[in-house]
Amino acid sequence: MLIKDILQQSQPSFSFEFFPPKTEAGWDSLFQTISDLTPLQPDSVSVTYGAGGSTRDLTHKLVTRITRETDVTVVAHLTCIGSTRDEIEAILQRYDDAGVHNILALRGDPPKGQTEWTATAGGFTFAADLVAFIKQKFPHFGIGVAGFPEGHCATPNRLQEIEHLKAKMDAGADYICTQLFFDNHDFYDFRDRCRLAGMEQPIIAGLMPVTSRQGMMRMADLAAGAHIPAPLLKSVLNCVNDHAVEKTGTHWLTEQVRDLINHEVDGIHFYTLNKSETTRKVFETLTLTEV
């Protein structure tokens, strides 16, 4: 099923994100996580694409395995960087042949060790170009794109940022899935600005739990940044260990989800970090399988 159809039938929708493991033990652990989360009846799951296209084959392997072994709709991430148009068309054809028809179209991050984003020769410069290409070559595919409630470091002009997002929607994208955020007011402001710009497509809120101080620092150091609200920061700094941090982060995430549902969010996307415990606790607390 296409994500745009799911969003019409199930609001809010709930989805999980995974990344391709690099070891056999990692694959075993991930599929245990998937097994733990399947009873929560997610509307879909997505699989990430490494910086610079570094996990291209592993992403395809994970996408096709989940499709083959579960009944869950899968969204495959696909980036502009590191691939020519012909290579991207071949990737899309492989997904089509495997029955995978949902793509999250992204510009992508530079390869590790490279700070500047450079278009691949014979490839695409912007995510909007990739969206248009998919729409032309595979019109039966569903396409999502990324949005940034807290802004994007590459586009400090927030008005221009919305223009870039609208270009992706005008090229044929069906919905927006946001980068992680911790303050729901940032999301509501972003949603309002999208509507003011004429974007009526569904907007899915992307959420990630804080489970350790080190993890929180990594989130704050992301390329797109991550605003850590003072109340959350204070609570984490008052924790005596990471077990307490995880409890604090789970509570914060639970209240974010509760508030988003009350404000009629189109969907919620959990960045699971390939773990199940925090997401399961949120679902159990809010009885989300009964929403």
Side-chain angles (χ1 to χ4, degrees):
M1 181 178 290
L2 298 184
I3 301 302
K4 65 178 181 180
D5 297 327
I6 290 174
L7 287 165
Q8 289 179 354
Q9 297 178 15
S10 175
Q11 289 199 354
S13 70
F14 296 103
S15 54
F16 307 143
E17 180 168 294
F18 307 118
F19 59 84
K22 296 181 180 179
T23 66
E24 285 303 318
W27 282 90
D28 292 340
S29 176
L30 173 57
F31 271 83
Q32 182 58 55
T33 294
I34 293 173
S35 177
D36 291 341
L37 292 177
T38 298
L40 302 182
Q41 302 173 357
D43 294 290
S44 65
V45 301
S46 70
V47 178
T48 65
Y49 209 69
S54 56
T55 65
R56 179 194 302 176
D57 292 336
L58 290 176
T59 296
H60 186 272
K61 177 182 177 182
L62 180 53
V63 167
T64 53
R65 182 174 172 183
I66 295 174
T67 300
R68 186 174 62 250
E69 297 183 11
T70 76
D71 296 326
V72 181
T73 296
V74 186
V75 180
H77 290 208
L78 184 61
T79 68
C80 297
I81 197 164
S83 299
T84 66
R85 290 171 180 256
D86 289 344
E87 288 172 333
I88 286 177
E89 184 172 1
I91 292 169
L92 292 167
Q93 187 60 62
R94 289 175 67 193
Y95 282 134
D96 196 15
D97 294 342
V100 177
H101 298 134
N102 288 287
I103 300 293
L104 189 69
L106 308 164
R107 190 184 73 160
D109 296 324
K112 188 176 181 179
Q114 182 178 318
T115 57
E116 295 294 325
W117 196 95
T118 304
T120 301
F124 301 101
T125 303
F126 302 109
D129 301 327
L130 176 57
V131 171
F133 181 81
I134 298 171
K135 202 69 178 177
Q136 176 192 4
K137 296 288 186 176
F138 298 86
H140 55 294
F141 275 32
I143 309 171
V145 295
F148 301 88
E150 298 177 355
H152 194 288
C153 59
T155 313
N157 183 327
R158 299 303 304 276
L159 299 178
Q160 190 176 60
E161 171 206 334
I162 290 295
E163 290 178 2
H164 291 171
L165 179 56
K166 190 170 189 307
K168 293 188 282 188
M169 308 315 293
D170 290 345
D174 301 310
Y175 67 95
I176 300 163
C177 185
T178 77
Q179 176 62 278
L180 66 93
F181 60 90
F182 296 104
D183 189 334
N184 285 1
H185 292 97
D186 289 328
F187 175 80
Y188 300 139
D189 178 75
F190 171 78
R191 184 172 64 178
D192 288 346
R193 289 185 291 114
C194 287
R195 301 307 183 222
L196 286 169
M199 290 178 274
E200 298 299 329
Q201 294 90 342
I203 303 175
I204 298 172
L207 302 179
M208 180 183 288
V210 173
T211 57
S212 68
R213 290 189 184 184
Q214 184 179 8
M216 185 177 70
M217 293 301 295
R218 282 198 301 269
M219 294 177 200
D221 198 37
L222 291 171
H227 162 226
I228 310 296
L232 174 58
L233 180 61
K234 180 180 179 180
S235 296
V236 170
L237 293 179
N238 285 336
C239 291
V240 296
N241 53 40
D242 278 344
H243 176 69
V245 172
E246 185 173 359
K247 289 181 64 177
T248 294
T250 301
H251 174 74
W252 186 276
L253 178 64
T254 301
E255 293 310 307
Q256 271 194 279
V257 172
R258 190 195 310 273
D259 184 67
L260 286 164
I261 292 173
N262 289 339
H263 284 79
E264 299 181 339
V265 69
D266 295 315
I268 297 175
H269 185 66
F270 294 87
Y271 296 103
T272 68
L273 301 175
N274 284 10
K275 299 177 181 178
S276 64
E277 185 173 357
T278 299
T279 303
R280 286 193 296 107
K281 286 180 179 178
V282 172
F283 270 66
E284 290 167 3
T285 301
L286 299 179
T287 59
L288 294 181
T289 53
E290 299 174 13
V291 169

